[in-house]
Amino acid sequence: MTELLSPKPTGSVVTAPPVGGDTTSDVAREALRRARDHLLGLQDDAGWWKGDLATNVTMDAEDLLLRQFLGIRTAEQTEESARWIRSQQRPDGSWATFHGGPGDLSTTIEAYLALRLAGDAPEAPHMATAAAFVRDHGGLVASRVFTRFWLALFGHWPWSRLPAVPPELVLLPPWVPFNVYDFACWARQTIVPLSIVRALRPVRDLGFTVDELRTAAVPPRPPRLLSRPGVLHRLDRLAAGYERIARGPLRRNALRRAAEWIVARQEADGSWGGIQPPWVYSLMALHLLGYPLDHPVLRSGLAGLERFTVREQTPDGPMRWLEACQSPVWDTALAVTALSDAGLPAGHPALTRAGTWLLAEEIRVRGDWAVRRPNTPAGGWAFEFDNDAYADTDDTAEVIMALRRTNVPADPAVLRATRWLLGMQCRDGGWAAFDADNTREVLGDLPFCDFGEVIDPPSADVTAHIVEALAAENFADTVPVRRAVAWLLRAQEPDGSWFGRWGANHVYGTGAVVPALVAAGLRPGHPAIRRAVHWLVAHQNPDGGWGEDLRSYRDPAWVGRGESTASQTAWALLALHAAGHGAGEAATRGVRWLVDTQRPDGGWDEPQYTGTGFPGDFYINYGLYRLVFPISALGRILDARATGLDAEALP
């Protein structure tokens, strides 16, 4: 057996001999042990795990702009956030939406505004290059709607040149097109408070002008009249005309109902949906309606932001940055599964604590999902610590599978969650994350919907996780699961992969679907699985790992291509293992890549973003993905090799 070489200093990777044909290789098992111990050391005493969740600097810029708007911005907060924002600037002066990505115009504008608030002079080299990038990419007029809303709040963009968002939308019943429940939960939670802000059109002082970001460019021409976007553009202009004259009981009732809708959905931690966009707009909307800053709703909302604030000590001084959301339920479920895959018994204290905590996080109240599924009983789990209004099917599936890896009695909760999942299946057989049949695609053409995905249709990765969970609960031969399997087979891309809605991208989708199909009863030799295996093998990097750049969401040339990462390599390995190819050459090279790139502390470096919020627009770096998924992959492959259950040659 090969021996592990002496570790290099912290910060470098451990160089180990190649993992050869010996399926019980000491080097791979030692890598798994280090990773397992590292993960165990990250567990909170209460039983949960949570990795930092990084997105982009618009979170931090908008935090400062929010505080400026409310009159509560402090010098300390400003300087700490400004240090962070400066540290993320690209050499061309721009800011990107993900590590290694291209500069993004709107993100750069918002970062520039925040740094101006911090006192950075326009003549400073880093500011001048940022302003040049903005002008070269069309200036303020080419930015997204949300950025122009922020500019309007401080008098640097006319409200009249923004799309209309009438608060009367909240009065529409669910059966009327364009009602708030036609939008995905994250979009409706943002649109309702935004409609209040848009109706009241406030203007506060920013303390400086932004003329250096303007160009001579004119707004793009309206879409062709006979097209769907063209019709919606004209309807927007009609709505804008109504906005100018909206007065009286109808408008007052709409504003009151919108405020009630917002207050009713505030979570216990002060957030709205546990995510940043509706949080900041809800605070501003309620304040504009007369809620003082010491009102319990606003006081709780502002205090809750501290829980989402990460502080770091650096050679340049303290920095602060905000998580767009938090993922303790998701991280804990994945950690439990990983540790179980690594060989921890169900009664291990870490798994018992985690299972007990997860069980206490069960949601027993009805949320917005009940509008479309009024007869479905409540059950399931959400993503965050406090997000009872928005349970999601993906977390629920992962928690079900995790609880079964512990010795915590969970049958009643799992039964409720299973019934909820079955009730949330969409008409076409797939599952979406938060709602059922939330598929009105026309909403994406509304002029104010340029901020990312605004509906929640079924996706392959979510459907796969639910199929896998239901199969584990002996539902594999039921009609709902058979319909879901048929949906997944229809969703397979011509090249053999599956699109990844919530992770990057086709590697994630394929890594989720193959294990689910096998769990549901498809043989590894099924044509769909064979095509998926061939796709994975064809897209393995020369170094043995797998990676897929987030540009694949917009440019097909990037599909399956990118720097190797620990999480994406693990997703590919999980699929190969499920398909019976965990002992093949491709899997062996993938295991070797994980071993060779592991840090001495048992983790892996992964600055790349492999999580997806809105495909093409908003991305996430999950702090624990680089650890939990490699543990699961190594654990399953090594166990299967040791027992001789995974020895099929690659096709």
Side-chain angles (χ1 to χ4, degrees):
M1 296 184 182
T2 55
E3 295 291 329
L4 185 68
L5 297 182
S6 299
K8 293 184 177 181
T10 301
S12 61
V13 299
V14 176
T15 302
V19 180
D22 185 354
T23 59
T24 58
S25 162
D26 281 349
V27 64
R29 292 201 175 278
E30 178 63 16
L32 177 61
R33 182 197 63 77
R34 286 198 304 269
R36 179 203 65 200
D37 291 350
H38 183 49
L39 182 59
L40 283 169
L42 298 176
Q43 187 179 26
D44 187 85
D45 291 342
W48 47 264
W49 281 267
K50 187 190 83 66
D52 286 343
L53 193 149
T55 52
N56 65 70
V57 298
T58 59
M59 303 298 105
D60 316 292
E62 291 176 6
D63 177 67
L64 293 184
L65 291 170
L66 167 69
R67 295 176 184 278
Q68 176 74 7
F69 184 86
L70 297 177
I72 58 173
R73 181 174 60 86
T74 68
E76 182 181 16
Q77 292 165 340
T78 303
E79 187 49 43
E80 290 181 359
S81 292
R83 287 194 190 101
W84 171 255
I85 293 171
R86 292 187 202 105
S87 75
Q88 302 301 301
Q89 190 174 20
R90 289 163 35 90
D92 66 357
S94 69
W95 282 264
T97 58
F98 61 93
H99 175 83
D104 179 74
L105 173 63
S106 294
T107 304
T108 301
I109 291 172
E110 294 185 28
Y112 184 92
L113 293 176
L115 292 183
R116 288 293 310 275
L117 272 180
D120 292 20
E123 304 81 31
H126 68 291
M127 298 295 281
T129 55
F133 177 90
V134 171
R135 292 191 300 270
D136 290 345
H137 289 77
L140 301 181
V141 71
S143 64
R144 65 183 179 183
V145 168
F146 272 11
T147 299
R148 282 178 275 143
F149 264 100
W150 283 106
L151 291 165
L153 287 167
F154 296 101
H156 296 304
W157 192 266
W159 283 106
S160 61
R161 289 177 58 192
L162 285 170
V165 192
E168 285 79 5
L169 286 174
V170 79
L171 302 177
L172 297 178
W175 52 268
V176 173
F178 302 109
N179 73 86
V180 295
Y181 299 102
D182 276 351
F183 294 90
C185 69
W186 58 86
R188 81 176 70 107
Q189 291 177 88
T190 302
I191 288 167
V192 172
L194 193 63
S195 72
I196 296 174
V197 178
R198 175 69 174 83
L200 299 179
R201 303 185 183 195
V203 175
R204 303 285 168 87
D205 183 32
L206 200 55
F208 52 84
T209 66
V210 289
D211 292 340
E212 65 272 21
L213 303 184
R214 301 187 189 277
T215 67
V218 297
R221 293 174 60 85
R224 186 169 51 86
L225 177 59
L226 297 181
S227 66
R228 187 169 74 183
V231 171
L232 293 175
H233 177 83
R234 272 64 177 187
L235 289 176
D236 172 73
R237 293 301 84 200
L238 289 174
Y242 167 74
E243 287 270 270
R244 287 193 291 270
I245 62 173
R247 300 287 188 275
L250 180 62
R251 173 50 59 95
R252 289 195 297 272
N253 184 43
L255 291 172
R256 177 182 59 81
R257 290 279 298 278
E260 292 170 351
W261 193 95
I262 293 168
V263 172
R265 283 159 178 77
Q266 187 177 32
E267 302 287 353
D269 63 355
S271 74
W272 278 269
I275 54 178
Q276 184 264 3
W279 200 337
V280 297
Y281 287 113
S282 294
L283 289 171
M284 288 192 293
L286 295 176
H287 187 54
L288 287 170
L289 289 175
Y291 285 61
L293 293 177
D294 61 356
H295 187 282
V297 172
L298 267 64
R299 188 169 64 245
S300 175
L302 290 170
L305 288 171
E306 283 301 307
R307 190 177 184 180
F308 282 61
T309 300
V310 178
R311 287 181 169 82
E312 298 179 4
Q313 294 296 327
T314 74
D316 295 326
M319 297 182 182
R320 69 188 287 272
W321 58 274
L322 266 70
E323 296 178 288
C325 53
Q326 296 182 330
S327 53
V329 174
W330 181 248
D331 287 345
T332 301
L334 294 176
V336 168
T337 297
L339 291 171
S340 176
D341 286 334
L344 260 64
H348 189 282
L351 300 190
T352 299
R353 289 197 305 274
T356 302
W357 183 83
L358 285 171
L359 204 58
E361 291 296 303
E362 183 194 6
I363 295 173
R364 301 287 299 276
V365 299
R366 300 166 71 77
D368 281 0
W369 56 265
V371 171
R372 293 283 187 259
R373 290 293 186 268
N375 298 319
T376 297
W381 283 265
F383 191 65
E384 294 91 349
F385 285 110
D386 300 290
N387 195 15
D388 287 357
Y390 294 100
D392 75 89
T393 62
D394 212 9
D395 276 273
T396 298
E398 292 296 338
V399 172
I400 288 173
M401 291 187 284
L403 285 173
R404 294 311 197 190
R405 304 290 192 104
T406 76
N407 65 354
V408 176
D411 284 349
V414 169
L415 178 60
R416 286 188 292 269
T418 302
R419 287 175 176 169
W420 183 70
L421 286 177
L422 292 171
M424 292 295 290
Q425 188 171 27
C426 296
R427 285 190 295 264
D428 63 4
W431 272 274
F434 294 92
D435 285 296
D437 300 320
N438 187 263
T439 56
R440 200 179 290 275
E441 294 181 356
V442 66
L443 298 177
D445 290 325
L446 289 169
F448 64 83
C449 289
D450 72 343
F451 55 87
E453 187 64 78
V454 296
I455 58 174
D456 185 17
S459 67
D461 41 311
V462 172
T463 300
H465 293 154
I466 294 168
V467 165
E468 191 174 4
L470 292 177
E473 294 300 309
N474 298 316
F475 282 82
D477 292 329
T478 63
V479 171
V481 172
R482 288 199 296 269
R483 291 179 62 227
V485 167
W487 188 95
L488 288 170
L489 294 176
R490 293 194 304 271
Q492 188 174 28
E493 302 290 334
D495 62 9
S497 67
W498 277 271
F499 175 82
R501 164 60 181 87
W502 295 97
N505 172 352
H506 293 255
V507 176
Y508 182 71
T510 307
V513 174
V514 171
L517 291 178
V518 173
L522 264 67
R523 301 288 298 173
H526 188 281
I529 295 177
R530 291 176 64 87
R531 289 198 302 273
V533 169
H534 278 292
W535 185 87
L536 287 168
V537 173
H539 288 82
Q540 188 172 24
N541 285 333
D543 63 9
W546 278 265
E548 185 169 3
D549 192 280
L550 290 161
R551 280 169 278 203
S552 64
Y553 283 109
R554 293 194 183 276
D555 183 355
W558 284 98
V559 169
R561 291 182 51 228
E563 295 178 274
S564 295
T565 68
S567 59
Q568 290 168 315
T569 298
W571 297 336
L573 290 174
L574 289 168
L576 291 175
H577 160 72
H581 299 295
E585 179 185 354
T588 298
R589 292 178 61 223
V591 169
R592 184 183 300 122
W593 186 89
L594 287 175
V595 169
D596 288 347
T597 57
Q598 189 181 36
R599 297 194 314 245
D601 66 1
W604 282 265
D605 290 320
E606 189 169 286
Q608 299 89 350
Y609 285 30
T610 63
T612 306
F614 304 147
D617 293 285
F618 188 77
Y619 303 109
I620 300 169
N621 186 329
Y622 287 95
L624 284 187
Y625 271 19
R626 68 203 67 174
L627 186 57
V628 292
F629 288 113
I631 290 174
S632 279
L634 289 173
R636 293 181 194 184
I637 285 176
L638 289 172
D639 181 66
R641 289 181 178 185
T643 56
L645 296 177
D646 200 358
E648 184 178 343
L650 283 170

